[in-house]
Amino acid sequence: MGSSNNSDLIAQAQEWIEHDPDPETRSELLELLKANNTEELDDRFSSRLTFGTAGIRGIQGGGPNRMNRLTLRKVAVGISQYLKSGSSVIIGYDARKNSEVFATDMSGIFSHYGIHSHIFTKVIPTPVLSFAVRQKSADMGIMITASHNPANDNGCKVFLADGAQLRSPIDDIIDQQIELSQLPPKEIAKGLGRIEEIEDKIWIEYCETVANTVGELSGSLAIAYTPLHGVSWETIEHVFGLKGITNLITVPSQSQPDPSFPSTPFPNPEEAGVLDELFNVAQSSKADIALANDPDGDRLAIGVPQSNGEWRTLSGNEIGALLCNRMLQVTSGQNRKVVSSVVSSSLTEKIAEEA
């Protein structure tokens, strides 16, 4: 890399450090400058994190190509430019490193731009955030999470006013606003936007709404469950408790939030081997079914026992077919639609034809 490029790189890093409110990532970048580590600096400053699957996520660290407080503050500026003053946003967060700090930072940016924030005071699963957007008729929802990514990642998922995840072309519009925005200063002046806490009422309403979607269940049903070190256990326990299901057997080492994910470096329930501990618990406890969520609770895996005593994970197509069949059982009339993607099984189409 030439001296001119090196000078530009150093200038970018110094400007970033001047605006970065986090002493940890500032120190990280200062060390790279001190060591003249231009290769690492180039990786962090030659590009930036951009919107991907319904939001933005990446490895935590200093610089625009890493996830950090300044990166998400800049995201909040871009969202503010899209929403405009007077809009309202619901903010939730999981138990990953810095999630609560990121949520607080984003609410401060929104306030500065006249956008009202309603922020949860405890960790929640992502579906609760989507539910809250609709319950409070908000304009957008922000969930601080990196979903099932490795432990050192973080980011945010964005939900629109209908509670559905961010989609095209709005994602591109917001990303353009992020790219055009200036780096916000370390100290953010409070604006006209209110910052209010969300009480447990919304979470309780969510649990009750989910529980009311099914009829009575057998109290003897035994369910093995793991949140994979994530934030869903309290919600799952409460929902099943409302239906009289108390025989929930958890994987002890995975039941409580732990941002380091010690037993599963890549906590995606669809990955091979991730559910081994769950199936061991299910087998030893003679459970009827085994369930797993990813760390932010919006991905589900289901395991069922086989005649040989082993456990098998249902495929996405199998779960989709079961859900389709269930929805057709509890609804009626001709004004119903079953929509599946081109990579989905044709089984749902056959179920719909017979409904």
Side-chain angles (χ1 to χ4, degrees), residues 9-37:
L9 189 60
I10 291 169
Q12 288 180 60
Q14 289 173 334
E15 181 186 19
W16 188 273
I17 290 167
E18 289 173 6
H19 291 79
D20 189 349
D22 190 336
E24 181 178 339
T25 46
R26 284 203 310 270
S27 176
E28 187 180 294
L29 292 175
L30 286 169
E31 286 298 317
L32 292 175
L33 285 172
K34 183 179 178 180
N36 196 30
N37 191 339

Side-chain angles (χ1 to χ4, degrees), residues 36-322:
N36 196 30
N37 191 339
T38 54
E39 182 178 353
E40 179 67 16
L41 286 169
D42 184 62
D43 181 55
R44 291 167 183 250
F45 286 90
S46 61
S47 60
R48 65 179 179 89
L49 295 179
T50 56
F51 272 24
T53 307
I56 185 170
R57 65 184 78 162
I59 301 171
Q60 297 194 64
N65 200 28
R66 297 289 187 272
M67 184 53 58
N68 51 69
R69 292 178 65 182
L70 187 51
T71 292
L72 274 183
R73 284 180 169 205
K74 205 166 184 291
V75 168
V77 172
I79 291 174
S80 299
Q81 299 292 348
Y82 170 76
L83 286 177
K84 309 304 180 187
S85 179
S87 300
S88 64
V89 175
I90 308 292
I91 304 175
Y93 53 91
D94 66 6
R96 285 177 180 264
K97 178 185 176 182
N98 291 323
S99 284
E100 186 173 1
V101 174
F102 291 163
T104 301
D105 271 353
M106 294 190 83
S107 69
I109 293 288
F110 291 143
S111 172
H112 179 78
Y113 284 93
I115 294 169
H116 310 303
S117 296
H118 304 270
I119 186 167
F120 280 89
T121 58
K122 67 177 184 180
V123 296
I124 59 164
T126 292
V128 177
L129 185 281
S130 171
F131 177 83
V133 171
R134 288 167 285 165
Q135 286 294 97
K136 298 187 76 67
S137 299
D139 297 291
M140 186 171 282
I142 307 290
M143 180 68 190
I144 307 297
T145 180
S147 194
H148 51 271
N149 281 31
N152 198 38
D153 287 15
N154 213 333
C156 72
K157 294 179 179 179
V158 180
F159 293 80
L160 302 179
D162 58 1
Q165 287 188 336
L166 181 69
R167 52 191 177 270
S168 181
I170 300 173
D171 53 353
D172 290 331
I173 295 171
I174 294 175
D175 199 58
Q176 288 169 14
Q177 294 289 348
I178 295 168
E179 185 171 16
L180 293 172
S181 66
Q182 300 297 311
L183 293 176
K186 287 180 186 176
E187 299 298 326
I188 305 297
K190 193 177 188 309
L192 296 177
R194 299 186 305 274
I195 301 176
E196 300 175 351
E197 295 181 345
I198 295 180
E199 299 177 351
D200 269 357
K201 178 185 175 184
I202 291 288
W203 177 79
I204 293 170
E205 289 176 352
Y206 170 81
C207 292
E208 291 173 344
T209 300
V210 173
N212 289 337
T213 62
V214 298
E216 293 303 312
L217 298 174
S218 170
S220 64
L221 187 65
I223 302 172
Y225 175 74
T226 177
L228 292 177
H229 304 293
V231 297
S232 294
W233 167 236
E234 181 184 10
T235 302
I236 289 290
E237 183 181 34
H238 190 65
V239 168
F240 278 110
L242 290 171
K243 304 307 295 185
I245 305 299
T246 58
N247 193 10
L248 294 174
I249 309 103
T250 63
V251 178
S253 63
Q254 298 175 345
S255 63
Q256 297 304 312
D258 187 334
S260 65
F261 307 132
S263 70
T264 172
F266 191 60
N268 181 351
E270 297 178 1
E271 290 292 316
V274 170
L275 300 184
D276 286 353
E277 290 192 39
L278 173 66
F279 288 161
N280 288 338
V281 167
Q283 190 170 37
S284 63
S285 64
K286 295 181 170 56
D288 297 298
I289 193 169
L291 306 176
N293 288 121
D294 68 339
D296 72 315
D298 65 356
R299 184 169 292 210
L300 171 71
I302 298 176
V304 293
Q306 304 297 289
S307 57
N308 62 1
E310 299 295 319
W311 282 72
R312 180 176 76 85
T313 306
L314 298 184
S315 70
N317 278 323
E318 290 173 321
I319 295 173
L322 289 171

